[in-house]
Amino acid sequence: MNLSDNKATLSFSDGSPSVEMPVYSGSVGPDVIDIRKLYGQTGMFTYDPGFLSTAACQSTITYIDGDKGELLYRGYPIEQLATQCDYLDTCYLLLNGELPNVQQKKDFDHLVTSHTMVNDQMQYFLRGFRRDAHPMAVLTGLVGGMSAFYHDSTDITNPEHRHIAAIRLIAKMPTLVAMAYKYKIGQPYIYPKNSLSYAGNFLHMMFATPCEEYKVNPVLERALDRIFILHADHEQNASTSTVRLCGSSGTNPFAAIAAGVACLWGPAHGGANEACLNMLEDIQRMGGVAKVGEFMEQVKDKNSGVRLMGFGHRVYKNYDPRAKLMQETCKEVLQEMGLENDPLFKLAMALEKIALEDEYFVSRKLYPNVDFYSGIVQRAIGIPVNLFTGIFALARTSGWIAQLNEMIGDPEYKIGRPRQLFTGPVARNVKPANER
Ligand code: ACO
């Protein structure tokens, strides 16, 4: 970051001396005011619940311009990556800063592919879960549990350990997600098949059985790969910030990524695609497209507590660029599966049309986010609704680990320790129970 000529001056109405603070510029995007010495100089903290105005780190990985609806990984527009690269190119880019050349790509694909198996003990760990457990509960446990298997890559101060842990996590996540699915439905686990692509291998582990030959459908393979690319990173969102905060204590990468998985589960974040599909199914049950107007009235009524899931974003105040790409994939997949007249897709289109014209959504700059269409695509592929967030976690693992490794390698990195505005009781004495 570069020190700007501009400086910020904070003045106080009570006559306390004003404070001058440096301003830094990045390569693009808003400048930041450096408030690190503020407490030392004034005895005051800044107050910013939800981090609405706080840059918690500097990063070179992902840039979002929410007003323009632009998303760049290491400078490359998501539209180009989604159409010209595959997920493993994207992982390489996120981890290393550049797209791989032909040899680097071959080596990286081989490296990831040769780490896809998990320790056989994992299946006994899995057996401890109820069959009806939510896959995200299972995944949180399995990913955290990886730290018990790979003692040789848990030292985050060692760059080689960080690299091996990154490869292991990216390689094994699809295996774990597929195992969680197979366990739930009571089918035998399918071992990874290293001759397949990353997405093809995942489809194989999900849908093959030992009884029949499984042929990967290239349209579904490409669609899944695109889902992975679109979800790979999204700068300092809640789960990534969780991974950074968790990792800032020096904990091992598997534990930090498990914290990210847990955070992602929430319906305001990764759980939104599941919540969105459940919402579409609810409206369908209520009467489908004919009931869209009634449903929208509920959404606009603040007392109803109903939100249009898959709409709105903390950063995008324009169309989420990933939603456009996902809508394209959605059409391709539905056509491939002969589901062009899928009622949920029609319902989603009707909701989107109304929302994009409605004053409530227009004035609040609420546009479809990536989750609006990704659920329909996944459902058409045959992925059960409660596994959607698991797929998101699989894809986001590359971003999480790239961000974690960037933080550990940053000389300015410190343990994350937010402060607070205390509004509870001041010091008081404990009274005997009969006097309380
Ligand atoms: N439906 C109806 N109203 C909404 C929605 C929505 N989906 N999203 C925001 N609003 C309204 C809010 O009620 C608020 O209205 P007000 O100004 O009259 O009070 C205004 O728009 C601003 O909303 P906030 O909640 O303050 O915006 P914030 O940035 O905190 O929230 C969030 C963003 C959580 C994503 C929100 O838009 C939401 O809940 N969306 C639905 C869930 C969803 O799709 N999440 C996926 C996010 S993308 C991802 O994680 C990959």
Side-chain angles (χ1 to χ4, degrees), residues 8-78:
T9 307
L10 184 64
S11 56
F12 301 91
S13 57
D14 67 358
S16 307
S18 58
V19 183
E20 209 168 74
M21 288 165 296
V23 172
Y24 293 105
S25 304
S27 42
V28 61
D31 290 352
V32 298
I33 304 169
D34 181 352
I35 57 165
R36 280 176 291 183
K37 294 199 177 130
L38 188 70
Y39 179 61
Q41 287 173 337
T42 66
M44 282 186 208
F45 298 134
T46 55
Y47 180 62
D48 186 19
F51 301 107
L52 295 175
S53 298
T54 296
C57 62
Q58 50 173 313
S59 178
T60 59
I61 303 176
T62 293
Y63 175 73
I64 304 171
D65 185 325
D67 294 323
K68 277 206 261 173
E70 179 179 65
L71 169 61
L72 311 174
Y73 294 164
R74 302 277 193 187
Y76 294 111
I78 191 69

Side-chain angles (χ1 to χ4, degrees), residues 268-269 272 302 307-312 314 360 364 369 371:
H269 191 12
K302 281 287 153 68
R307 281 200 167 197
L308 180 56
M309 300 313 286
F311 254 74
R314 170 60 60 80
Y360 175 94
R364 289 171 178 77
N369 59 52
D371 292 323

Side-chain angles (χ1 to χ4, degrees), residues 1 10-11 19 38 81 85 87-88 93 106 134 138 145 185 210 216 255 266 274 289 296 332 354 384 408 414 420:
M1 60 188 180
L10 184 64
S11 56
V19 183
L38 188 70
L81 292 169
C85 299
Y87 179 66
L88 287 184
L93 174 69
K106 209 168 150 224
H134 193 286
V138 176
I185 61 169
V216 175
E274 178 175 345
V289 175
M296 283 305 210
E332 271 168 36
I354 294 182
I408 308 290
K414 284 187 176 359
Q420 63 175 7

Side-chain angles (χ1 to χ4, degrees), residues 12 47 78 132 306 324 415:
F12 301 91
Y47 180 62
I78 191 69
D132 63 355
V306 178
K324 281 193 191 130
I415 184 169

